[in-house]
Amino acid sequence: MNYLNAACSQSYVPKDLPAAVRAVLGKPLRRAAGLTQLALLGALACIPPERRKQPTALLWQSSHGPRLETQALLNEVCHGTAEPLPYDFLATQPAIAAAQIQPFLLGLLSATHFPLAEAGHAHWAMLLALADHWLAEGRYAQVLIAHLDALADVAAGEWLLLSRDPLENSLCRLQIDSPPLPETLADSPNFPALLCRQLATGSASSFQIASSGLPGPALAFARL
């Protein structure tokens, strides 16, 4: 059994991301793509300073990935007056986000990006099941799971943090349940917001996430 220790929702005007990063770090994150800045802000919001050296994995999904950076690179290649710079190419690689945030999250040992086929879809159930398995094996002390998208008009993220051990302010516990439960939450991009709302206002002691992409035992959330 593992515990949900944090849930976080983000929404920024893209031009405000550098200032938000500077407010958290006390300095800018130079040449960082919008997704990287969003990932840094969300990770540090979820994990308190005293737990940032604990062995951590990051699993994140995205409907659009580094689309803006890729379009900018292609535009420079096709229409620019000079060769693109190395960091222009790096910005198109989702994995670079982990490398840039690891100095501020020293326990980050692995990160995996899961591109989604279309907007409006999500695979929270799959990522939660994977995180639950890794924590049960003892690979990590905590696993961050996120849905991140940085577009021209909005940079938004949804986050969950699972840990082997509960904190004083843990939200609920996660368990693999075989029997279906009456209360079900949709596996949608804003699942963390739905989960927080259910914990705050719902009356059921347990509820599960419904996902057509993850058949088998249900992932159930139980109040502490």
Side-chain angles (χ1 to χ4, degrees), residues 147-201:
H147 188 292
L148 305 177
D149 274 310
L151 302 174
D153 57 343
V154 64
E158 296 280 352
W159 291 82
L160 296 176
L161 174 65
L162 292 182
S163 301
R164 292 203 301 261
D165 302 314
L167 302 181
E168 290 184 5
N169 58 344
S170 293
L171 301 175
C172 60
R173 65 179 184 267
L174 174 69
Q175 58 196 45
I176 305 296
D177 259 5
S178 296
L181 298 173
E183 296 285 343
T184 301
L185 301 178
D187 193 342
S188 59
N190 66 333
F191 172 74
L194 297 176
L195 178 59
C196 288
R197 191 177 306 127
Q198 180 72 15
L199 288 170
T201 63

Short mmCIF file of all heavy atoms in Angstrom, two decimals, residues 147-201:
data_model
loop_
_atom_site.label_atom_id
_atom_site.label_comp_id
_atom_site.label_asym_id
_atom_site.label_seq_id
_atom_site.Cartn_x
_atom_site.Cartn_y
_atom_site.Cartn_z
N HIS A 147 0.93 15.52 -15.76
CA HIS A 147 0.42 15.79 -17.10
C HIS A 147 0.76 17.24 -17.40
O HIS A 147 0.25 18.15 -16.76
CB HIS A 147 -1.09 15.56 -17.16
CG HIS A 147 -1.66 15.63 -18.55
ND1 HIS A 147 -1.69 16.79 -19.29
CD2 HIS A 147 -2.20 14.68 -19.35
CE1 HIS A 147 -2.24 16.55 -20.46
NE2 HIS A 147 -2.56 15.28 -20.53
N LEU A 148 1.67 17.47 -18.36
CA LEU A 148 2.19 18.80 -18.63
C LEU A 148 1.98 19.19 -20.09
O LEU A 148 2.20 18.38 -20.99
CB LEU A 148 3.70 18.86 -18.34
CG LEU A 148 4.15 18.43 -16.94
CD1 LEU A 148 5.67 18.48 -16.85
CD2 LEU A 148 3.52 19.29 -15.87
N ASP A 149 1.57 20.43 -20.31
CA ASP A 149 1.46 20.97 -21.65
C ASP A 149 1.78 22.46 -21.62
O ASP A 149 1.21 23.20 -20.79
CB ASP A 149 0.06 20.76 -22.25
CG ASP A 149 -0.08 19.40 -22.91
OD1 ASP A 149 0.80 19.06 -23.73
OD2 ASP A 149 -1.04 18.68 -22.61
N ALA A 150 2.69 22.88 -22.47
CA ALA A 150 3.04 24.29 -22.60
C ALA A 150 2.72 24.73 -24.02
O ALA A 150 3.39 24.34 -24.97
CB ALA A 150 4.53 24.51 -22.30
N LEU A 151 1.67 25.53 -24.16
CA LEU A 151 1.22 26.00 -25.46
C LEU A 151 1.44 27.50 -25.57
O LEU A 151 1.96 28.14 -24.65
CB LEU A 151 -0.26 25.64 -25.65
CG LEU A 151 -0.58 24.15 -25.54
CD1 LEU A 151 -2.08 23.92 -25.60
CD2 LEU A 151 0.14 23.35 -26.61
N ALA A 152 1.03 28.08 -26.68
CA ALA A 152 1.27 29.50 -26.89
C ALA A 152 0.49 30.38 -25.92
O ALA A 152 0.95 31.46 -25.54
CB ALA A 152 0.91 29.87 -28.34
N ASP A 153 -0.69 29.91 -25.49
CA ASP A 153 -1.54 30.75 -24.64
C ASP A 153 -1.61 30.32 -23.20
O ASP A 153 -2.04 31.09 -22.33
CB ASP A 153 -2.96 30.80 -25.21
CG ASP A 153 -3.57 29.40 -25.37
OD1 ASP A 153 -2.81 28.42 -25.35
OD2 ASP A 153 -4.81 29.31 -25.50
N VAL A 154 -1.19 29.09 -22.88
CA VAL A 154 -1.27 28.63 -21.50
C VAL A 154 -0.24 27.52 -21.26
O VAL A 154 0.04 26.72 -22.15
CB VAL A 154 -2.68 28.11 -21.15
CG1 VAL A 154 -3.03 26.88 -22.00
CG2 VAL A 154 -2.82 27.80 -19.67
N ALA A 155 0.32 27.52 -20.07
CA ALA A 155 1.20 26.43 -19.63
C ALA A 155 0.54 25.82 -18.40
O ALA A 155 0.36 26.50 -17.38
CB ALA A 155 2.58 26.95 -19.29
N ALA A 156 0.13 24.56 -18.51
CA ALA A 156 -0.67 23.95 -17.44
C ALA A 156 -0.09 22.59 -17.06
O ALA A 156 0.43 21.86 -17.90
CB ALA A 156 -2.12 23.79 -17.90
N GLY A 157 -0.22 22.27 -15.78
CA GLY A 157 0.26 21.00 -15.29
C GLY A 157 -0.63 20.46 -14.18
O GLY A 157 -1.25 21.22 -13.44
N GLU A 158 -0.70 19.14 -14.11
CA GLU A 158 -1.41 18.45 -13.03
C GLU A 158 -0.44 17.43 -12.45
O GLU A 158 0.24 16.71 -13.20
CB GLU A 158 -2.66 17.74 -13.55
CG GLU A 158 -3.73 18.67 -14.10
CD GLU A 158 -4.57 19.31 -13.01
OE1 GLU A 158 -4.42 18.92 -11.83
OE2 GLU A 158 -5.38 20.19 -13.34
N TRP A 159 -0.38 17.33 -11.11
CA TRP A 159 0.65 16.54 -10.44
C TRP A 159 0.06 15.67 -9.33
O TRP A 159 -0.86 16.08 -8.63
CB TRP A 159 1.69 17.45 -9.81
CG TRP A 159 2.55 18.19 -10.78
CD1 TRP A 159 2.23 19.36 -11.44
CD2 TRP A 159 3.86 17.84 -11.21
NE1 TRP A 159 3.27 19.74 -12.25
CE2 TRP A 159 4.28 18.84 -12.12
CE3 TRP A 159 4.72 16.79 -10.91
CZ2 TRP A 159 5.54 18.81 -12.73
CZ3 TRP A 159 5.97 16.76 -11.52
CH2 TRP A 159 6.37 17.75 -12.41
N LEU A 160 0.67 14.50 -9.15
CA LEU A 160 0.45 13.66 -7.99
C LEU A 160 1.80 13.18 -7.49
O LEU A 160 2.73 12.95 -8.29
CB LEU A 160 -0.42 12.44 -8.34
CG LEU A 160 -1.86 12.69 -8.79
CD1 LEU A 160 -2.51 11.37 -9.19
CD2 LEU A 160 -2.67 13.39 -7.71
N LEU A 161 1.94 13.03 -6.19
CA LEU A 161 3.16 12.49 -5.59
C LEU A 161 2.79 11.29 -4.73
O LEU A 161 2.05 11.41 -3.76
CB LEU A 161 3.86 13.54 -4.73
CG LEU A 161 5.08 13.04 -3.94
CD1 LEU A 161 6.21 12.62 -4.89
CD2 LEU A 161 5.57 14.09 -2.95
N LEU A 162 3.31 10.11 -5.11
CA LEU A 162 3.11 8.89 -4.34
C LEU A 162 4.37 8.56 -3.56
O LEU A 162 5.48 8.74 -4.07
CB LEU A 162 2.77 7.71 -5.27
CG LEU A 162 1.43 7.71 -6.00
CD1 LEU A 162 1.30 6.42 -6.81
CD2 LEU A 162 0.28 7.85 -5.03
N SER A 163 4.20 8.05 -2.35
CA SER A 163 5.33 7.68 -1.51
C SER A 163 5.03 6.38 -0.78
O SER A 163 3.87 6.00 -0.60
CB SER A 163 5.64 8.77 -0.48
OG SER A 163 5.93 9.99 -1.12
N ARG A 164 6.11 5.70 -0.38
CA ARG A 164 5.94 4.47 0.38
C ARG A 164 5.42 4.75 1.78
O ARG A 164 4.70 3.95 2.37
CB ARG A 164 7.28 3.72 0.48
CG ARG A 164 7.79 3.15 -0.83
CD ARG A 164 8.74 2.00 -0.57
NE ARG A 164 9.89 2.39 0.23
CZ ARG A 164 11.09 2.68 -0.24
NH1 ARG A 164 11.29 2.63 -1.55
NH2 ARG A 164 12.08 3.00 0.54
N ASP A 165 5.82 5.89 2.34
CA ASP A 165 5.47 6.22 3.72
C ASP A 165 4.52 7.40 3.75
O ASP A 165 4.68 8.35 2.98
CB ASP A 165 6.73 6.55 4.52
CG ASP A 165 7.73 5.41 4.51
OD1 ASP A 165 7.31 4.26 4.71
OD2 ASP A 165 8.93 5.67 4.28
N PRO A 166 3.55 7.38 4.63
CA PRO A 166 2.63 8.52 4.74
C PRO A 166 3.28 9.69 5.46
O PRO A 166 4.16 9.51 6.30
CB PRO A 166 1.47 7.95 5.56
CG PRO A 166 2.12 6.90 6.42
CD PRO A 166 3.21 6.30 5.58
N LEU A 167 2.85 10.89 5.12
CA LEU A 167 3.23 12.09 5.84
C LEU A 167 2.07 12.50 6.74
O LEU A 167 0.98 11.94 6.67
CB LEU A 167 3.56 13.21 4.85
CG LEU A 167 4.68 12.94 3.85
CD1 LEU A 167 4.90 14.16 2.97
CD2 LEU A 167 5.97 12.53 4.54
N GLU A 168 2.30 13.50 7.57
CA GLU A 168 1.23 13.97 8.44
C GLU A 168 0.04 14.50 7.65
O GLU A 168 -1.10 14.41 8.09
CB GLU A 168 1.77 15.06 9.38
CG GLU A 168 2.73 14.54 10.44
CD GLU A 168 3.16 15.64 11.39
OE1 GLU A 168 2.63 16.76 11.27
OE2 GLU A 168 4.00 15.37 12.25
N ASN A 169 0.35 15.06 6.46
CA ASN A 169 -0.71 15.66 5.64
C ASN A 169 -1.03 14.82 4.40
O ASN A 169 -1.51 15.35 3.40
CB ASN A 169 -0.33 17.08 5.22
CG ASN A 169 0.97 17.12 4.44
OD1 ASN A 169 1.74 16.14 4.46
ND2 ASN A 169 1.24 18.22 3.77
N SER A 170 -0.76 13.52 4.44
CA SER A 170 -1.09 12.66 3.30
C SER A 170 -2.57 12.74 2.98
O SER A 170 -3.42 12.81 3.88
CB SER A 170 -0.70 11.20 3.61
OG SER A 170 0.70 11.07 3.70
N LEU A 171 -2.90 12.71 1.69
CA LEU A 171 -4.28 12.90 1.25
C LEU A 171 -5.11 11.62 1.33
O LEU A 171 -6.28 11.65 1.70
CB LEU A 171 -4.29 13.45 -0.17
CG LEU A 171 -3.56 14.78 -0.36
CD1 LEU A 171 -3.54 15.15 -1.84
CD2 LEU A 171 -4.22 15.88 0.45
N CYS A 172 -4.51 10.50 0.92
CA CYS A 172 -5.22 9.22 0.93
C CYS A 172 -4.22 8.12 0.64
O CYS A 172 -3.03 8.39 0.42
CB CYS A 172 -6.35 9.21 -0.11
SG CYS A 172 -5.81 9.46 -1.82
N ARG A 173 -4.69 6.89 0.65
CA ARG A 173 -3.81 5.78 0.29
C ARG A 173 -4.29 5.16 -1.02
O ARG A 173 -5.47 5.21 -1.35
CB ARG A 173 -3.75 4.74 1.41
CG ARG A 173 -5.04 4.01 1.69
CD ARG A 173 -4.85 2.99 2.80
NE ARG A 173 -6.03 2.21 3.02
CZ ARG A 173 -6.98 2.50 3.91
NH1 ARG A 173 -6.86 3.58 4.66
NH2 ARG A 173 -8.04 1.72 4.04
N LEU A 174 -3.34 4.57 -1.74
CA LEU A 174 -3.64 3.94 -3.03
C LEU A 174 -3.48 2.44 -2.87
O LEU A 174 -2.49 1.96 -2.31
CB LEU A 174 -2.67 4.45 -4.10
CG LEU A 174 -2.74 3.78 -5.47
CD1 LEU A 174 -4.05 4.14 -6.16
CD2 LEU A 174 -1.56 4.19 -6.33
N GLN A 175 -4.45 1.69 -3.37
CA GLN A 175 -4.36 0.24 -3.30
C GLN A 175 -4.98 -0.36 -4.56
O GLN A 175 -5.83 0.25 -5.20
CB GLN A 175 -5.07 -0.28 -2.04
CG GLN A 175 -6.54 0.12 -1.95
CD GLN A 175 -7.10 -0.07 -0.56
OE1 GLN A 175 -6.46 0.29 0.43
NE2 GLN A 175 -8.30 -0.66 -0.48
N ILE A 176 -4.50 -1.54 -4.90
CA ILE A 176 -5.04 -2.27 -6.05
C ILE A 176 -6.24 -3.08 -5.55
O ILE A 176 -6.09 -3.98 -4.73
CB ILE A 176 -3.99 -3.20 -6.66
CG1 ILE A 176 -2.73 -2.41 -7.02
CG2 ILE A 176 -4.55 -3.90 -7.89
CD1 ILE A 176 -2.92 -1.36 -8.07
N ASP A 177 -7.41 -2.75 -6.05
CA ASP A 177 -8.65 -3.39 -5.62
C ASP A 177 -9.25 -4.19 -6.76
O ASP A 177 -9.35 -3.70 -7.87
CB ASP A 177 -9.67 -2.34 -5.17
CG ASP A 177 -9.73 -2.22 -3.65
OD1 ASP A 177 -8.93 -2.88 -2.97
OD2 ASP A 177 -10.59 -1.49 -3.17
N SER A 178 -9.67 -5.42 -6.49
CA SER A 178 -10.35 -6.21 -7.51
C SER A 178 -11.82 -5.88 -7.64
O SER A 178 -12.33 -5.73 -8.75
CB SER A 178 -10.15 -7.70 -7.22
OG SER A 178 -8.80 -8.05 -7.32
N PRO A 179 -12.58 -5.79 -6.55
CA PRO A 179 -14.02 -5.54 -6.72
C PRO A 179 -14.28 -4.11 -7.18
O PRO A 179 -13.58 -3.18 -6.78
CB PRO A 179 -14.58 -5.76 -5.31
CG PRO A 179 -13.42 -5.50 -4.40
CD PRO A 179 -12.22 -5.97 -5.14
N PRO A 180 -15.26 -3.92 -8.05
CA PRO A 180 -15.58 -2.56 -8.50
C PRO A 180 -16.18 -1.75 -7.35
O PRO A 180 -16.88 -2.27 -6.50
CB PRO A 180 -16.61 -2.79 -9.61
CG PRO A 180 -17.20 -4.13 -9.31
CD PRO A 180 -16.10 -4.94 -8.69
N LEU A 181 -15.88 -0.47 -7.36
CA LEU A 181 -16.40 0.44 -6.34
C LEU A 181 -17.46 1.34 -6.96
O LEU A 181 -17.40 1.65 -8.15
CB LEU A 181 -15.26 1.29 -5.77
CG LEU A 181 -14.15 0.52 -5.04
CD1 LEU A 181 -13.01 1.45 -4.66
CD2 LEU A 181 -14.70 -0.18 -3.80
N PRO A 182 -18.43 1.79 -6.17
CA PRO A 182 -19.52 2.59 -6.74
C PRO A 182 -19.08 3.98 -7.20
O PRO A 182 -19.64 4.53 -8.13
CB PRO A 182 -20.54 2.68 -5.59
CG PRO A 182 -19.74 2.42 -4.36
CD PRO A 182 -18.67 1.46 -4.77
N GLU A 183 -18.07 4.57 -6.53
CA GLU A 183 -17.61 5.91 -6.87
C GLU A 183 -16.44 5.80 -7.84
O GLU A 183 -15.42 5.17 -7.52
CB GLU A 183 -17.18 6.67 -5.62
CG GLU A 183 -18.32 6.94 -4.64
CD GLU A 183 -19.23 8.06 -5.13
OE1 GLU A 183 -18.81 8.81 -6.02
OE2 GLU A 183 -20.36 8.17 -4.61
N THR A 184 -16.56 6.41 -9.03
CA THR A 184 -15.53 6.30 -10.06
C THR A 184 -15.18 7.67 -10.60
O THR A 184 -16.05 8.50 -10.87
CB THR A 184 -16.04 5.40 -11.22
OG1 THR A 184 -16.35 4.10 -10.71
CG2 THR A 184 -14.97 5.26 -12.28
N LEU A 185 -13.88 7.91 -10.77
CA LEU A 185 -13.39 9.15 -11.35
C LEU A 185 -12.83 8.87 -12.74
O LEU A 185 -12.22 7.82 -12.98
CB LEU A 185 -12.29 9.76 -10.47
CG LEU A 185 -12.68 10.09 -9.03
CD1 LEU A 185 -11.48 10.64 -8.28
CD2 LEU A 185 -13.82 11.09 -9.00
N ALA A 186 -13.02 9.80 -13.66
CA ALA A 186 -12.58 9.60 -15.04
C ALA A 186 -11.07 9.77 -15.15
O ALA A 186 -10.46 10.60 -14.47
CB ALA A 186 -13.27 10.60 -15.96
N ASP A 187 -10.47 8.97 -16.02
CA ASP A 187 -9.03 9.08 -16.32
C ASP A 187 -8.85 10.18 -17.36
O ASP A 187 -8.68 9.93 -18.55
CB ASP A 187 -8.51 7.74 -16.84
CG ASP A 187 -6.99 7.70 -16.86
OD1 ASP A 187 -6.36 8.77 -16.82
OD2 ASP A 187 -6.43 6.59 -16.94
N SER A 188 -8.89 11.42 -16.91
CA SER A 188 -8.81 12.58 -17.79
C SER A 188 -7.59 13.41 -17.42
O SER A 188 -7.01 13.22 -16.34
CB SER A 188 -10.09 13.42 -17.67
OG SER A 188 -10.27 13.84 -16.34
N PRO A 189 -7.17 14.35 -18.27
CA PRO A 189 -5.98 15.14 -17.95
C PRO A 189 -6.04 15.83 -16.60
O PRO A 189 -5.01 15.99 -15.94
CB PRO A 189 -5.92 16.15 -19.11
CG PRO A 189 -6.54 15.43 -20.25
CD PRO A 189 -7.66 14.62 -19.64
N ASN A 190 -7.23 16.26 -16.17
CA ASN A 190 -7.35 16.98 -14.89
C ASN A 190 -7.72 16.04 -13.74
O ASN A 190 -8.32 16.47 -12.75
CB ASN A 190 -8.40 18.09 -15.01
CG ASN A 190 -9.80 17.55 -15.22
OD1 ASN A 190 -9.99 16.46 -15.75
ND2 ASN A 190 -10.80 18.32 -14.82
N PHE A 191 -7.33 14.78 -13.82
CA PHE A 191 -7.65 13.82 -12.77
C PHE A 191 -7.22 14.29 -11.38
O PHE A 191 -7.99 14.14 -10.41
CB PHE A 191 -7.04 12.46 -13.08
CG PHE A 191 -7.15 11.48 -11.95
CD1 PHE A 191 -8.37 10.89 -11.65
CD2 PHE A 191 -6.05 11.16 -11.17
CE1 PHE A 191 -8.49 10.00 -10.59
CE2 PHE A 191 -6.16 10.29 -10.11
CZ PHE A 191 -7.38 9.70 -9.82
N PRO A 192 -6.01 14.85 -11.17
CA PRO A 192 -5.66 15.30 -9.82
C PRO A 192 -6.64 16.32 -9.24
O PRO A 192 -6.97 16.26 -8.05
CB PRO A 192 -4.26 15.90 -10.00
CG PRO A 192 -3.69 15.13 -11.14
CD PRO A 192 -4.85 14.94 -12.08
N ALA A 193 -7.12 17.24 -10.08
CA ALA A 193 -8.11 18.22 -9.60
C ALA A 193 -9.41 17.52 -9.22
O ALA A 193 -10.04 17.85 -8.20
CB ALA A 193 -8.36 19.28 -10.66
N LEU A 194 -9.84 16.53 -10.02
CA LEU A 194 -11.04 15.76 -9.70
C LEU A 194 -10.87 14.99 -8.40
O LEU A 194 -11.79 14.92 -7.57
CB LEU A 194 -11.36 14.79 -10.84
CG LEU A 194 -11.70 15.39 -12.21
CD1 LEU A 194 -11.88 14.28 -13.24
CD2 LEU A 194 -12.95 16.24 -12.13
N LEU A 195 -9.69 14.43 -8.21
CA LEU A 195 -9.41 13.65 -7.01
C LEU A 195 -9.47 14.55 -5.77
O LEU A 195 -10.07 14.18 -4.75
CB LEU A 195 -8.04 12.99 -7.14
CG LEU A 195 -7.54 12.19 -5.94
CD1 LEU A 195 -8.50 11.05 -5.61
CD2 LEU A 195 -6.14 11.65 -6.22
N CYS A 196 -8.85 15.73 -5.85
CA CYS A 196 -8.88 16.65 -4.71
C CYS A 196 -10.31 17.09 -4.38
O CYS A 196 -10.68 17.19 -3.21
CB CYS A 196 -8.01 17.87 -5.01
SG CYS A 196 -6.24 17.52 -4.99
N ARG A 197 -11.11 17.31 -5.42
CA ARG A 197 -12.50 17.71 -5.20
C ARG A 197 -13.28 16.58 -4.53
O ARG A 197 -14.09 16.81 -3.63
CB ARG A 197 -13.14 18.10 -6.53
CG ARG A 197 -14.50 18.77 -6.41
CD ARG A 197 -15.04 19.19 -7.76
NE ARG A 197 -14.07 20.01 -8.48
CZ ARG A 197 -13.66 19.77 -9.72
NH1 ARG A 197 -14.13 18.75 -10.40
NH2 ARG A 197 -12.79 20.58 -10.29
N GLN A 198 -13.01 15.35 -4.97
CA GLN A 198 -13.69 14.20 -4.38
C GLN A 198 -13.30 14.04 -2.92
O GLN A 198 -14.15 13.75 -2.06
CB GLN A 198 -13.36 12.93 -5.17
CG GLN A 198 -14.01 11.66 -4.66
CD GLN A 198 -15.49 11.61 -4.95
OE1 GLN A 198 -15.99 12.40 -5.75
NE2 GLN A 198 -16.20 10.71 -4.30
N LEU A 199 -12.02 14.22 -2.61
CA LEU A 199 -11.57 14.09 -1.23
C LEU A 199 -12.17 15.17 -0.34
O LEU A 199 -12.43 14.95 0.84
CB LEU A 199 -10.04 14.17 -1.18
CG LEU A 199 -9.28 12.95 -1.72
CD1 LEU A 199 -7.80 13.26 -1.85
CD2 LEU A 199 -9.50 11.73 -0.84
N ALA A 200 -12.38 16.36 -0.92
CA ALA A 200 -12.89 17.48 -0.14
C ALA A 200 -14.40 17.43 0.06
O ALA A 200 -14.90 17.86 1.11
CB ALA A 200 -12.50 18.79 -0.81
N THR A 201 -15.13 16.92 -0.93
CA THR A 201 -16.59 17.03 -0.89
C THR A 201 -17.32 15.70 -0.93
O THR A 201 -18.49 15.62 -0.57
CB THR A 201 -17.10 17.88 -2.06
OG1 THR A 201 -16.76 17.23 -3.30
CG2 THR A 201 -16.45 19.26 -2.05
#
